[in-house]
Amino acid sequence: MIYPNLDVSEMFVERQAQRGSMHTRHLNEQLVRVLKTIGYDVGFQKGQGQYLFDRDGERYLDLLSGFGVFAIGRNHPVLRRALKSVLDADLPNLVQLDVSTLAGVLAERLLKYAPYLDKVFFANSGAECVEAAIKFARGATGRPGIVYCEHAFHGLSYGALSLTDDPNFRAGFEPLLPGCTPIPFDDLAALEQALSSRQVAAFIVEPIQGKGVNIPGDDFLPGAAALCRKYGTLLIADEIQTGIGRTGKFLAVEHWNVEPDMVLLAKALSGGHVPIGALLTRKSIFDKIFNQMDRAVVHGSTFAKNDLAMAAGIATLEVMEAEKLVEQTARRGAELRLALKAMIPGYELMKDVRGKGLMIGVEFGPPKSLKLKASWNLLESANKGLFCQLITVPLFKEHKILTQVSGHGSHTIKLLPPLTITEDDCRWIETAFDSVIAASHKVPGAIWSLGKTLVDNAVRKSA
């Protein structure tokens, strides 16, 4: 049989100029409109480490890292070799009526980072891990309730969305899963009140909240673990964004010496190429779900243990260890936070810099001077959190830095770079932020002209 000479990289080059029109016609037209409106439609052609390159060959520093999946950088050679080796080996992938060798290897390696846990369940994404955690918690305890924190983000599938209280995501999709109760983040009294009914199967929490980069007090997570033990509730640490070295520890819960009953991982474990999620848990929980032979497949997912995903996870852990990325992340993150924090006294719009490792939030807030206050209030009345776009857009256009606002209506810009960034990259970040924040304090000025454009767009949208 004669097959066509299919070269997908060649296809990318041939069709890249049509990416916007193809997405408008066949995919998400609104996303295309957003990118054009804010000037982000630069046509990225290449990714390498912590850098992206656009259609004109301009280099950008990626502080978004695909929402955290490119912790080891884009197209890492070790990861590429691992994936190619799987494809070249003709492995017996996804036999289903067999067990996967590579899944066993990856599970063994993951559990070394959490020796208090015994079993791994693999999934295809973070949201799938959350769904599995809900089922495992209810199945293991016989209880219906799940407690989560306000401002949390756990995913957009139905169970995960039920644990995400942002109305921008929930609107139009309710009613959601019953028995899910929010409490304020970092509030032990509220948690105890919620758990005291002894009807709560699990308390799920991000050790550091991704939306806003909110860090709990030092007593919250240890206290939560104690309360969960007291009331027979399982503690689930959602480390989908904070895990795999992001915060300067392999798991963020290590900052507080907490040992959860379940740990959820995804994003960075993939190396950015093949989706993967992993739920790590205690044997006592796992054995209550898969408790006899006719329940051996009571929960699962067709592609979850595919060889490419397992190889990606194995390669990612190899790179993390060989390049000592956890230690580097702790050091580099502390230096970057210190440099950004030093800017606060000079800029009245800049309120806080917080984070751990290379998960950093730069928060802005209302100014005191009359000129700035009037401009701030105009933006806020049009759309809460709009000011941060006056920082992210110039960072992108003028300084070639890609970053994000940390959530709907947020005044915090989140930095989530690859863990491979260098000292020179950090100076690039510091110089760019200093320049853009300084410009935001000049009224009238180019940045506030951008603000007027954004306000006009917001008004037209509401009309």
Side-chain angles (χ1 to χ4, degrees), residues 107 111 117-121 279-284 286-287:
L111 290 168
L117 300 177
D118 315 285
K119 296 280 189 175
V120 178
F121 175 86
L279 182 159
L280 283 57
T281 188
R282 301 185 190 279
K283 186 176 187 299
S284 58
F286 203 85
D287 287 351

Side-chain angles (χ1 to χ4, degrees), residues 207-256:
I208 299 172
Q209 288 191 318
K211 287 179 60 183
V213 193
N214 302 319
I215 302 175
D218 285 340
D219 63 340
F220 179 61
L221 290 174
L227 288 173
C228 285
R229 286 193 298 271
K230 177 179 177 180
Y231 292 106
T233 297
L234 301 178
L235 176 61
I236 303 171
D238 181 344
E239 296 256 13
I240 290 162
Q241 188 166 118
T242 57
I244 322 290
R246 169 59 58 188
T247 68
K249 301 280 189 182
F250 188 82
L251 298 176
V253 289
E254 294 172 32
H255 290 288
W256 296 277

Side-chain angles (χ1 to χ4, degrees), residues 440-458:
S440 74
H441 285 70
K442 295 173 183 175
V443 180
I447 278 187
W448 291 100
S449 296
L450 168 64
K452 183 179 183 306
T453 300
L454 294 177
V455 168
D456 291 344
N457 285 335

Side-chain angles (χ1 to χ4, degrees), residues 4 60 99 108 111 114 119 124 178 191 209-210 232 297 322-323 328 365 373 378-379 394 399-401 411 443 448:
Y60 295 72
V99 291
E108 182 179 68
L111 290 168
K119 296 280 189 175
N124 298 298
L191 177 60
Q209 288 191 318
V297 291
E323 299 184 11
Q328 178 177 304
K373 188 182 289 186
L378 178 64
L379 284 177
H399 297 276
K400 303 296 185 283
I401 288 179
H411 296 124
V443 180
W448 291 100

Side-chain angles (χ1 to χ4, degrees), residues 44-61:
F44 287 116
Q45 303 293 301
K46 181 181 175 183
Q48 195 169 59
Q50 58 269 41
Y51 307 117
L52 291 162
F53 299 84
D54 69 14
R55 62 172 69 95
D56 298 320
E58 292 277 2
R59 186 181 70 154
Y60 295 72
L61 181 57

Side-chain angles (χ1 to χ4, degrees), residues 110-111 117-123 125 128-137 236-237 261-266 269 276-282 285-286 299:
L110 284 172
L111 290 168
L117 300 177
D118 315 285
K119 296 280 189 175
V120 178
F121 175 86
F122 286 114
S125 68
E128 276 197 14
C129 286
V130 174
E131 299 290 340
I134 293 170
K135 289 179 71 174
F136 284 18
I236 303 171
D261 299 294
M262 297 187 215
V263 171
L264 312 183
L265 300 170
L269 187 60
I276 182 176
L279 182 159
L280 283 57
T281 188
R282 301 185 190 279
I285 296 169
F286 203 85
H299 187 63

